[in-house]
Amino acid sequence: MDYFLICIVALLGSGLTLFSGFGLGTILFPFFGFFFPIEIAIFLTAIVHCLNNFFKLILLGKNANTQVLLYFGVPAFIFAALGAYALSIINDMEALGSYTFVGETFYILPIKVGIGIILLFFAFVDVVPSWSKLTFDKKYMPLGGMLSGFFGGLSGMQGAMRSAFLIRAGLSKESFIGTGVVIATVIDLSRMGVYIENLPEEAMDIDFTLIMCATLSAFIGAFWGNRLLGKVTLKTIQMLVALFLILFAILLILGIL
């Protein structure tokens, strides 16, 4: 059941989120979070996300805008590593507190509170109409790269913020998607090195067959999505994902997950 659920999510998530430029990491992370400790869930999400971005790079990378890559991508690369280091620091912090409910003791951990807040933010970006239209002027491209990279390194979810900036870059639909794919790949490469360096010992017991199945499913989803480019609306999908993220984030903050 674990294999089936995660692979289906990877396939559908990769295909549907190709159009928006973000969402695969945001969708995959909660599902991995149900089966693995939070820091390992982030790492597993990063593996699938990174490999899938390489595949999308082959499909769409040729449409990337060089100037935007320079002003947005370089800061994103640098700050993705900083965000990943911040994750390793937060992960070592002691619990903020604990409580008992129905005979079970739950611990409120800084890393879970931080990730939960980030999840809530990205969830409400889809739920609140005014937030869903969040955009930024082109002159803030370097700042956008810093923020997108940092939060990408910290939680693996950097696409929503990246897209909010890139949408104002005057790019065509193809260039918008291609540029986003290149930048997402750069951020993934930056943070992966830090994640590997700080992996806990239990990460060595990861089921890599599951990871490969999820990655192949994501490849199929990206290929399918590329063939349907421009023909699919994501509003309903994004709303369902947002509601799921809100529930997951609350459970995460409360220490239940």
Side-chain angles (χ1 to χ4, degrees), residues 5-31:
L5 180 61
I6 291 177
C7 288
I8 287 295
V9 171
L11 187 149
L12 295 177
S14 178
L16 295 175
T17 60
L18 179 74
F19 312 110
S20 64
F22 67 91
L24 178 59
T26 309
I27 293 173
L28 268 182
F29 170 66
F31 280 89

mmCIF file with all atom_site columns, all heavy atoms in Angstrom, residues 5-31:
data_model
loop_
_atom_site.group_PDB
_atom_site.id
_atom_site.type_symbol
_atom_site.label_atom_id
_atom_site.label_alt_id
_atom_site.label_comp_id
_atom_site.label_asym_id
_atom_site.label_entity_id
_atom_site.label_seq_id
_atom_site.pdbx_PDB_ins_code
_atom_site.Cartn_x
_atom_site.Cartn_y
_atom_site.Cartn_z
_atom_site.occupancy
_atom_site.B_iso_or_equiv
_atom_site.pdbx_formal_charge
_atom_site.auth_seq_id
_atom_site.auth_comp_id
_atom_site.auth_asym_id
_atom_site.auth_atom_id
_atom_site.pdbx_PDB_model_num
ATOM 1   N N   . LEU A 1 5  ? 0.460  4.081  -2.938  1.00 0.00 ? 5  LEU A N   1
ATOM 2   C CA  . LEU A 1 5  ? 0.035  5.436  -2.588  1.00 0.00 ? 5  LEU A CA  1
ATOM 3   C C   . LEU A 1 5  ? 1.071  6.476  -2.997  1.00 0.00 ? 5  LEU A C   1
ATOM 4   O O   . LEU A 1 5  ? 0.749  7.470  -3.659  1.00 0.00 ? 5  LEU A O   1
ATOM 5   C CB  . LEU A 1 5  ? -0.224 5.525  -1.082  1.00 0.00 ? 5  LEU A CB  1
ATOM 6   C CG  . LEU A 1 5  ? -0.677 6.882  -0.550  1.00 0.00 ? 5  LEU A CG  1
ATOM 7   C CD1 . LEU A 1 5  ? -1.983 7.298  -1.193  1.00 0.00 ? 5  LEU A CD1 1
ATOM 8   C CD2 . LEU A 1 5  ? -0.818 6.837  0.969   1.00 0.00 ? 5  LEU A CD2 1
ATOM 9   N N   . ILE A 1 6  ? 2.331  6.236  -2.628  1.00 0.00 ? 6  ILE A N   1
ATOM 10  C CA  . ILE A 1 6  ? 3.387  7.203  -2.930  1.00 0.00 ? 6  ILE A CA  1
ATOM 11  C C   . ILE A 1 6  ? 3.625  7.316  -4.428  1.00 0.00 ? 6  ILE A C   1
ATOM 12  O O   . ILE A 1 6  ? 3.839  8.415  -4.960  1.00 0.00 ? 6  ILE A O   1
ATOM 13  C CB  . ILE A 1 6  ? 4.686  6.819  -2.187  1.00 0.00 ? 6  ILE A CB  1
ATOM 14  C CG1 . ILE A 1 6  ? 4.510  7.033  -0.682  1.00 0.00 ? 6  ILE A CG1 1
ATOM 15  C CG2 . ILE A 1 6  ? 5.874  7.639  -2.696  1.00 0.00 ? 6  ILE A CG2 1
ATOM 16  C CD1 . ILE A 1 6  ? 5.688  6.615  0.159   1.00 0.00 ? 6  ILE A CD1 1
ATOM 17  N N   . CYS A 1 7  ? 3.579  6.187  -5.157  1.00 0.00 ? 7  CYS A N   1
ATOM 18  C CA  . CYS A 1 7  ? 3.805  6.221  -6.608  1.00 0.00 ? 7  CYS A CA  1
ATOM 19  C C   . CYS A 1 7  ? 2.679  6.948  -7.333  1.00 0.00 ? 7  CYS A C   1
ATOM 20  O O   . CYS A 1 7  ? 2.912  7.701  -8.278  1.00 0.00 ? 7  CYS A O   1
ATOM 21  C CB  . CYS A 1 7  ? 3.959  4.798  -7.150  1.00 0.00 ? 7  CYS A CB  1
ATOM 22  S SG  . CYS A 1 7  ? 5.520  4.016  -6.701  1.00 0.00 ? 7  CYS A SG  1
ATOM 23  N N   . ILE A 1 8  ? 1.443  6.728  -6.891  1.00 0.00 ? 8  ILE A N   1
ATOM 24  C CA  . ILE A 1 8  ? 0.301  7.420  -7.502  1.00 0.00 ? 8  ILE A CA  1
ATOM 25  C C   . ILE A 1 8  ? 0.419  8.929  -7.268  1.00 0.00 ? 8  ILE A C   1
ATOM 26  O O   . ILE A 1 8  ? 0.196  9.738  -8.175  1.00 0.00 ? 8  ILE A O   1
ATOM 27  C CB  . ILE A 1 8  ? -1.034 6.893  -6.934  1.00 0.00 ? 8  ILE A CB  1
ATOM 28  C CG1 . ILE A 1 8  ? -1.312 5.495  -7.481  1.00 0.00 ? 8  ILE A CG1 1
ATOM 29  C CG2 . ILE A 1 8  ? -2.178 7.836  -7.280  1.00 0.00 ? 8  ILE A CG2 1
ATOM 30  C CD1 . ILE A 1 8  ? -1.532 5.452  -8.994  1.00 0.00 ? 8  ILE A CD1 1
ATOM 31  N N   . VAL A 1 9  ? 0.779  9.302  -6.051  1.00 0.00 ? 9  VAL A N   1
ATOM 32  C CA  . VAL A 1 9  ? 0.937  10.717 -5.727  1.00 0.00 ? 9  VAL A CA  1
ATOM 33  C C   . VAL A 1 9  ? 2.059  11.328 -6.557  1.00 0.00 ? 9  VAL A C   1
ATOM 34  O O   . VAL A 1 9  ? 1.928  12.443 -7.082  1.00 0.00 ? 9  VAL A O   1
ATOM 35  C CB  . VAL A 1 9  ? 1.227  10.903 -4.222  1.00 0.00 ? 9  VAL A CB  1
ATOM 36  C CG1 . VAL A 1 9  ? 1.622  12.345 -3.918  1.00 0.00 ? 9  VAL A CG1 1
ATOM 37  C CG2 . VAL A 1 9  ? 0.003  10.527 -3.401  1.00 0.00 ? 9  VAL A CG2 1
ATOM 38  N N   . ALA A 1 10 ? 3.177  10.605 -6.712  1.00 0.00 ? 10 ALA A N   1
ATOM 39  C CA  . ALA A 1 10 ? 4.304  11.100 -7.496  1.00 0.00 ? 10 ALA A CA  1
ATOM 40  C C   . ALA A 1 10 ? 3.919  11.275 -8.959  1.00 0.00 ? 10 ALA A C   1
ATOM 41  O O   . ALA A 1 10 ? 4.264  12.277 -9.600  1.00 0.00 ? 10 ALA A O   1
ATOM 42  C CB  . ALA A 1 10 ? 5.495  10.147 -7.374  1.00 0.00 ? 10 ALA A CB  1
ATOM 43  N N   . LEU A 1 11 ? 3.194  10.309 -9.505  1.00 0.00 ? 11 LEU A N   1
ATOM 44  C CA  . LEU A 1 11 ? 2.792  10.367 -10.911 1.00 0.00 ? 11 LEU A CA  1
ATOM 45  C C   . LEU A 1 11 ? 1.841  11.536 -11.167 1.00 0.00 ? 11 LEU A C   1
ATOM 46  O O   . LEU A 1 11 ? 2.075  12.364 -12.057 1.00 0.00 ? 11 LEU A O   1
ATOM 47  C CB  . LEU A 1 11 ? 2.132  9.047  -11.317 1.00 0.00 ? 11 LEU A CB  1
ATOM 48  C CG  . LEU A 1 11 ? 1.806  8.876  -12.806 1.00 0.00 ? 11 LEU A CG  1
ATOM 49  C CD1 . LEU A 1 11 ? 1.896  7.405  -13.188 1.00 0.00 ? 11 LEU A CD1 1
ATOM 50  C CD2 . LEU A 1 11 ? 0.396  9.400  -13.134 1.00 0.00 ? 11 LEU A CD2 1
ATOM 51  N N   . LEU A 1 12 ? 0.766  11.597 -10.386 1.00 0.00 ? 12 LEU A N   1
ATOM 52  C CA  . LEU A 1 12 ? -0.221 12.661 -10.577 1.00 0.00 ? 12 LEU A CA  1
ATOM 53  C C   . LEU A 1 12 ? 0.359  14.027 -10.233 1.00 0.00 ? 12 LEU A C   1
ATOM 54  O O   . LEU A 1 12 ? 0.118  15.016 -10.926 1.00 0.00 ? 12 LEU A O   1
ATOM 55  C CB  . LEU A 1 12 ? -1.459 12.387 -9.724  1.00 0.00 ? 12 LEU A CB  1
ATOM 56  C CG  . LEU A 1 12 ? -2.266 11.139 -10.104 1.00 0.00 ? 12 LEU A CG  1
ATOM 57  C CD1 . LEU A 1 12 ? -3.428 10.957 -9.138  1.00 0.00 ? 12 LEU A CD1 1
ATOM 58  C CD2 . LEU A 1 12 ? -2.772 11.235 -11.534 1.00 0.00 ? 12 LEU A CD2 1
ATOM 59  N N   . GLY A 1 13 ? 1.134  14.074 -9.150  1.00 0.00 ? 13 GLY A N   1
ATOM 60  C CA  . GLY A 1 13 ? 1.729  15.344 -8.736  1.00 0.00 ? 13 GLY A CA  1
ATOM 61  C C   . GLY A 1 13 ? 2.674  15.891 -9.768  1.00 0.00 ? 13 GLY A C   1
ATOM 62  O O   . GLY A 1 13 ? 2.643  17.077 -10.100 1.00 0.00 ? 13 GLY A O   1
ATOM 63  N N   . SER A 1 14 ? 3.533  15.039 -10.322 1.00 0.00 ? 14 SER A N   1
ATOM 64  C CA  . SER A 1 14 ? 4.496  15.486 -11.328 1.00 0.00 ? 14 SER A CA  1
ATOM 65  C C   . SER A 1 14 ? 3.794  15.967 -12.591 1.00 0.00 ? 14 SER A C   1
ATOM 66  O O   . SER A 1 14 ? 4.168  16.988 -13.169 1.00 0.00 ? 14 SER A O   1
ATOM 67  C CB  . SER A 1 14 ? 5.448  14.331 -11.666 1.00 0.00 ? 14 SER A CB  1
ATOM 68  O OG  . SER A 1 14 ? 6.367  14.717 -12.665 1.00 0.00 ? 14 SER A OG  1
ATOM 69  N N   . GLY A 1 15 ? 2.772  15.229 -13.012 1.00 0.00 ? 15 GLY A N   1
ATOM 70  C CA  . GLY A 1 15 ? 2.066  15.611 -14.230 1.00 0.00 ? 15 GLY A CA  1
ATOM 71  C C   . GLY A 1 15 ? 1.275  16.894 -14.081 1.00 0.00 ? 15 GLY A C   1
ATOM 72  O O   . GLY A 1 15 ? 1.375  17.803 -14.899 1.00 0.00 ? 15 GLY A O   1
ATOM 73  N N   . LEU A 1 16 ? 0.512  17.006 -13.007 1.00 0.00 ? 16 LEU A N   1
ATOM 74  C CA  . LEU A 1 16 ? -0.356 18.160 -12.825 1.00 0.00 ? 16 LEU A CA  1
ATOM 75  C C   . LEU A 1 16 ? 0.402  19.427 -12.448 1.00 0.00 ? 16 LEU A C   1
ATOM 76  O O   . LEU A 1 16 ? 0.029  20.527 -12.844 1.00 0.00 ? 16 LEU A O   1
ATOM 77  C CB  . LEU A 1 16 ? -1.416 17.850 -11.756 1.00 0.00 ? 16 LEU A CB  1
ATOM 78  C CG  . LEU A 1 16 ? -2.417 16.746 -12.128 1.00 0.00 ? 16 LEU A CG  1
ATOM 79  C CD1 . LEU A 1 16 ? -3.334 16.450 -10.953 1.00 0.00 ? 16 LEU A CD1 1
ATOM 80  C CD2 . LEU A 1 16 ? -3.235 17.154 -13.348 1.00 0.00 ? 16 LEU A CD2 1
ATOM 81  N N   . THR A 1 17 ? 1.472  19.286 -11.673 1.00 0.00 ? 17 THR A N   1
ATOM 82  C CA  . THR A 1 17 ? 2.198  20.477 -11.230 1.00 0.00 ? 17 THR A CA  1
ATOM 83  C C   . THR A 1 17 ? 3.181  20.992 -12.263 1.00 0.00 ? 17 THR A C   1
ATOM 84  O O   . THR A 1 17 ? 3.800  22.042 -12.066 1.00 0.00 ? 17 THR A O   1
ATOM 85  C CB  . THR A 1 17 ? 2.966  20.204 -9.918  1.00 0.00 ? 17 THR A CB  1
ATOM 86  O OG1 . THR A 1 17 ? 3.917  19.147 -10.132 1.00 0.00 ? 17 THR A OG1 1
ATOM 87  C CG2 . THR A 1 17 ? 2.017  19.788 -8.811  1.00 0.00 ? 17 THR A CG2 1
ATOM 88  N N   . LEU A 1 18 ? 3.352  20.285 -13.358 1.00 0.00 ? 18 LEU A N   1
ATOM 89  C CA  . LEU A 1 18 ? 4.214  20.776 -14.429 1.00 0.00 ? 18 LEU A CA  1
ATOM 90  C C   . LEU A 1 18 ? 3.724  22.116 -14.943 1.00 0.00 ? 18 LEU A C   1
ATOM 91  O O   . LEU A 1 18 ? 4.506  23.012 -15.260 1.00 0.00 ? 18 LEU A O   1
ATOM 92  C CB  . LEU A 1 18 ? 4.256  19.764 -15.581 1.00 0.00 ? 18 LEU A CB  1
ATOM 93  C CG  . LEU A 1 18 ? 5.098  20.154 -16.802 1.00 0.00 ? 18 LEU A CG  1
ATOM 94  C CD1 . LEU A 1 18 ? 6.585  20.022 -16.455 1.00 0.00 ? 18 LEU A CD1 1
ATOM 95  C CD2 . LEU A 1 18 ? 4.766  19.268 -17.990 1.00 0.00 ? 18 LEU A CD2 1
ATOM 96  N N   . PHE A 1 19 ? 2.414  22.299 -14.983 1.00 0.00 ? 19 PHE A N   1
ATOM 97  C CA  . PHE A 1 19 ? 1.827  23.506 -15.550 1.00 0.00 ? 19 PHE A CA  1
ATOM 98  C C   . PHE A 1 19 ? 1.997  24.715 -14.635 1.00 0.00 ? 19 PHE A C   1
ATOM 99  O O   . PHE A 1 19 ? 2.195  25.839 -15.101 1.00 0.00 ? 19 PHE A O   1
ATOM 100 C CB  . PHE A 1 19 ? 0.333  23.284 -15.834 1.00 0.00 ? 19 PHE A CB  1
ATOM 101 C CG  . PHE A 1 19 ? 0.059  22.015 -16.571 1.00 0.00 ? 19 PHE A CG  1
ATOM 102 C CD1 . PHE A 1 19 ? -0.568 20.952 -15.941 1.00 0.00 ? 19 PHE A CD1 1
ATOM 103 C CD2 . PHE A 1 19 ? 0.443  21.875 -17.887 1.00 0.00 ? 19 PHE A CD2 1
ATOM 104 C CE1 . PHE A 1 19 ? -0.817 19.774 -16.618 1.00 0.00 ? 19 PHE A CE1 1
ATOM 105 C CE2 . PHE A 1 19 ? 0.205  20.691 -18.577 1.00 0.00 ? 19 PHE A CE2 1
ATOM 106 C CZ  . PHE A 1 19 ? -0.430 19.638 -17.940 1.00 0.00 ? 19 PHE A CZ  1
ATOM 107 N N   . SER A 1 20 ? 1.898  24.506 -13.342 1.00 0.00 ? 20 SER A N   1
ATOM 108 C CA  . SER A 1 20 ? 1.978  25.626 -12.412 1.00 0.00 ? 20 SER A CA  1
ATOM 109 C C   . SER A 1 20 ? 3.410  26.017 -12.098 1.00 0.00 ? 20 SER A C   1
ATOM 110 O O   . SER A 1 20 ? 3.678  27.121 -11.646 1.00 0.00 ? 20 SER A O   1
ATOM 111 C CB  . SER A 1 20 ? 1.263  25.263 -11.095 1.00 0.00 ? 20 SER A CB  1
ATOM 112 O OG  . SER A 1 20 ? 1.923  24.193 -10.463 1.00 0.00 ? 20 SER A OG  1
ATOM 113 N N   . GLY A 1 21 ? 4.360  25.095 -12.341 1.00 0.00 ? 21 GLY A N   1
ATOM 114 C CA  . GLY A 1 21 ? 5.753  25.376 -12.017 1.00 0.00 ? 21 GLY A CA  1
ATOM 115 C C   . GLY A 1 21 ? 6.099  25.045 -10.578 1.00 0.00 ? 21 GLY A C   1
ATOM 116 O O   . GLY A 1 21 ? 7.226  25.234 -10.148 1.00 0.00 ? 21 GLY A O   1
ATOM 117 N N   . PHE A 1 22 ? 5.160  24.571 -9.795  1.00 0.00 ? 22 PHE A N   1
ATOM 118 C CA  . PHE A 1 22 ? 5.444  24.200 -8.412  1.00 0.00 ? 22 PHE A CA  1
ATOM 119 C C   . PHE A 1 22 ? 4.420  23.187 -7.930  1.00 0.00 ? 22 PHE A C   1
ATOM 120 O O   . PHE A 1 22 ? 3.365  23.025 -8.524  1.00 0.00 ? 22 PHE A O   1
ATOM 121 C CB  . PHE A 1 22 ? 5.421  25.417 -7.486  1.00 0.00 ? 22 PHE A CB  1
ATOM 122 C CG  . PHE A 1 22 ? 4.068  26.057 -7.302  1.00 0.00 ? 22 PHE A CG  1
ATOM 123 C CD1 . PHE A 1 22 ? 3.230  25.668 -6.265  1.00 0.00 ? 22 PHE A CD1 1
ATOM 124 C CD2 . PHE A 1 22 ? 3.626  27.037 -8.174  1.00 0.00 ? 22 PHE A CD2 1
ATOM 125 C CE1 . PHE A 1 22 ? 1.987  26.252 -6.094  1.00 0.00 ? 22 PHE A CE1 1
ATOM 126 C CE2 . PHE A 1 22 ? 2.383  27.630 -8.011  1.00 0.00 ? 22 PHE A CE2 1
ATOM 127 C CZ  . PHE A 1 22 ? 1.561  27.237 -6.970  1.00 0.00 ? 22 PHE A CZ  1
ATOM 128 N N   . GLY A 1 23 ? 4.780  22.483 -6.844  1.00 0.00 ? 23 GLY A N   1
ATOM 129 C CA  . GLY A 1 23 ? 3.793  21.631 -6.200  1.00 0.00 ? 23 GLY A CA  1
ATOM 130 C C   . GLY A 1 23 ? 4.220  20.203 -5.931  1.00 0.00 ? 23 GLY A C   1
ATOM 131 O O   . GLY A 1 23 ? 3.707  19.585 -5.000  1.00 0.00 ? 23 GLY A O   1
ATOM 132 N N   . LEU A 1 24 ? 5.140  19.624 -6.722  1.00 0.00 ? 24 LEU A N   1
ATOM 133 C CA  . LEU A 1 24 ? 5.486  18.220 -6.520  1.00 0.00 ? 24 LEU A CA  1
ATOM 134 C C   . LEU A 1 24 ? 6.070  17.984 -5.127  1.00 0.00 ? 24 LEU A C   1
ATOM 135 O O   . LEU A 1 24 ? 5.656  17.073 -4.416  1.00 0.00 ? 24 LEU A O   1
ATOM 136 C CB  . LEU A 1 24 ? 6.480  17.748 -7.591  1.00 0.00 ? 24 LEU A CB  1
ATOM 137 C CG  . LEU A 1 24 ? 6.949  16.296 -7.444  1.00 0.00 ? 24 LEU A CG  1
ATOM 138 C CD1 . LEU A 1 24 ? 5.764  15.334 -7.491  1.00 0.00 ? 24 LEU A CD1 1
ATOM 139 C CD2 . LEU A 1 24 ? 7.962  15.942 -8.530  1.00 0.00 ? 24 LEU A CD2 1
ATOM 140 N N   . GLY A 1 25 ? 7.029  18.810 -4.735  1.00 0.00 ? 25 GLY A N   1
ATOM 141 C CA  . GLY A 1 25 ? 7.628  18.658 -3.407  1.00 0.00 ? 25 GLY A CA  1
ATOM 142 C C   . GLY A 1 25 ? 6.603  18.885 -2.311  1.00 0.00 ? 25 GLY A C   1
ATOM 143 O O   . GLY A 1 25 ? 6.577  18.171 -1.301  1.00 0.00 ? 25 GLY A O   1
ATOM 144 N N   . THR A 1 26 ? 5.737  19.864 -2.518  1.00 0.00 ? 26 THR A N   1
ATOM 145 C CA  . THR A 1 26 ? 4.705  20.191 -1.531  1.00 0.00 ? 26 THR A CA  1
ATOM 146 C C   . THR A 1 26 ? 3.721  19.039 -1.362  1.00 0.00 ? 26 THR A C   1
ATOM 147 O O   . THR A 1 26 ? 3.241  18.765 -0.265  1.00 0.00 ? 26 THR A O   1
ATOM 148 C CB  . THR A 1 26 ? 3.953  21.461 -1.962  1.00 0.00 ? 26 THR A CB  1
ATOM 149 O OG1 . THR A 1 26 ? 4.891  22.481 -2.259  1.00 0.00 ? 26 THR A OG1 1
ATOM 150 C CG2 . THR A 1 26 ? 3.019  21.944 -0.869  1.00 0.00 ? 26 THR A CG2 1
ATOM 151 N N   . ILE A 1 27 ? 3.424  18.347 -2.461  1.00 0.00 ? 27 ILE A N   1
ATOM 152 C CA  . ILE A 1 27 ? 2.485  17.229 -2.407  1.00 0.00 ? 27 ILE A CA  1
ATOM 153 C C   . ILE A 1 27 ? 3.159  15.969 -1.852  1.00 0.00 ? 27 ILE A C   1
ATOM 154 O O   . ILE A 1 27 ? 2.603  15.265 -1.012  1.00 0.00 ? 27 ILE A O   1
ATOM 155 C CB  . ILE A 1 27 ? 1.924  16.933 -3.816  1.00 0.00 ? 27 ILE A CB  1
ATOM 156 C CG1 . ILE A 1 27 ? 1.036  18.102 -4.281  1.00 0.00 ? 27 ILE A CG1 1
ATOM 157 C CG2 . ILE A 1 27 ? 1.133  15.634 -3.828  1.00 0.00 ? 27 ILE A CG2 1
ATOM 158 C CD1 . ILE A 1 27 ? 0.587  17.983 -5.714  1.00 0.00 ? 27 ILE A CD1 1
ATOM 159 N N   . LEU A 1 28 ? 4.379  15.682 -2.313  1.00 0.00 ? 28 LEU A N   1
ATOM 160 C CA  . LEU A 1 28 ? 5.065  14.463 -1.909  1.00 0.00 ? 28 LEU A CA  1
ATOM 161 C C   . LEU A 1 28 ? 5.475  14.471 -0.437  1.00 0.00 ? 28 LEU A C   1
ATOM 162 O O   . LEU A 1 28 ? 5.391  13.442 0.248   1.00 0.00 ? 28 LEU A O   1
ATOM 163 C CB  . LEU A 1 28 ? 6.327  14.270 -2.767  1.00 0.00 ? 28 LEU A CB  1
ATOM 164 C CG  . LEU A 1 28 ? 6.207  13.439 -4.037  1.00 0.00 ? 28 LEU A CG  1
ATOM 165 C CD1 . LEU A 1 28 ? 7.569  13.333 -4.706  1.00 0.00 ? 28 LEU A CD1 1
ATOM 166 C CD2 . LEU A 1 28 ? 5.652  12.058 -3.746  1.00 0.00 ? 28 LEU A CD2 1
ATOM 167 N N   . PHE A 1 29 ? 5.947  15.623 0.040   1.00 0.00 ? 29 PHE A N   1
ATOM 168 C CA  . PHE A 1 29 ? 6.490  15.706 1.389   1.00 0.00 ? 29 PHE A CA  1
ATOM 169 C C   . PHE A 1 29 ? 5.522  15.197 2.466   1.00 0.00 ? 29 PHE A C   1
ATOM 170 O O   . PHE A 1 29 ? 5.912  14.390 3.323   1.00 0.00 ? 29 PHE A O   1
ATOM 171 C CB  . PHE A 1 29 ? 6.943  17.137 1.689   1.00 0.00 ? 29 PHE A CB  1
ATOM 172 C CG  . PHE A 1 29 ? 7.300  17.371 3.122   1.00 0.00 ? 29 PHE A CG  1
ATOM 173 C CD1 . PHE A 1 29 ? 8.385  16.735 3.698   1.00 0.00 ? 29 PHE A CD1 1
ATOM 174 C CD2 . PHE A 1 29 ? 6.538  18.221 3.909   1.00 0.00 ? 29 PHE A CD2 1
ATOM 175 C CE1 . PHE A 1 29 ? 8.712  16.941 5.027   1.00 0.00 ? 29 PHE A CE1 1
ATOM 176 C CE2 . PHE A 1 29 ? 6.853  18.437 5.237   1.00 0.00 ? 29 PHE A CE2 1
ATOM 177 C CZ  . PHE A 1 29 ? 7.939  17.794 5.800   1.00 0.00 ? 29 PHE A CZ  1
ATOM 178 N N   . PRO A 1 30 ? 4.254  15.629 2.468   1.00 0.00 ? 30 PRO A N   1
ATOM 179 C CA  . PRO A 1 30 ? 3.332  15.117 3.498   1.00 0.00 ? 30 PRO A CA  1
ATOM 180 C C   . PRO A 1 30 ? 3.155  13.604 3.448   1.00 0.00 ? 30 PRO A C   1
ATOM 181 O O   . PRO A 1 30 ? 3.051  12.951 4.483   1.00 0.00 ? 30 PRO A O   1
ATOM 182 C CB  . PRO A 1 30 ? 2.027  15.852 3.192   1.00 0.00 ? 30 PRO A CB  1
ATOM 183 C CG  . PRO A 1 30 ? 2.447  17.082 2.481   1.00 0.00 ? 30 PRO A CG  1
ATOM 184 C CD  . PRO A 1 30 ? 3.620  16.663 1.655   1.00 0.00 ? 30 PRO A CD  1
ATOM 185 N N   . PHE A 1 31 ? 3.125  13.020 2.236   1.00 0.00 ? 31 PHE A N   1
ATOM 186 C CA  . PHE A 1 31 ? 2.950  11.581 2.129   1.00 0.00 ? 31 PHE A CA  1
ATOM 187 C C   . PHE A 1 31 ? 4.167  10.833 2.669   1.00 0.00 ? 31 PHE A C   1
ATOM 188 O O   . PHE A 1 31 ? 4.043  9.834  3.369   1.00 0.00 ? 31 PHE A O   1
ATOM 189 C CB  . PHE A 1 31 ? 2.667  11.186 0.679   1.00 0.00 ? 31 PHE A CB  1
ATOM 190 C CG  . PHE A 1 31 ? 1.243  11.413 0.269   1.00 0.00 ? 31 PHE A CG  1
ATOM 191 C CD1 . PHE A 1 31 ? 0.845  12.627 -0.268  1.00 0.00 ? 31 PHE A CD1 1
ATOM 192 C CD2 . PHE A 1 31 ? 0.287  10.419 0.442   1.00 0.00 ? 31 PHE A CD2 1
ATOM 193 C CE1 . PHE A 1 31 ? -0.472 12.845 -0.627  1.00 0.00 ? 31 PHE A CE1 1
ATOM 194 C CE2 . PHE A 1 31 ? -1.034 10.629 0.080   1.00 0.00 ? 31 PHE A CE2 1
ATOM 195 C CZ  . PHE A 1 31 ? -1.415 11.843 -0.456  1.00 0.00 ? 31 PHE A CZ  1
#
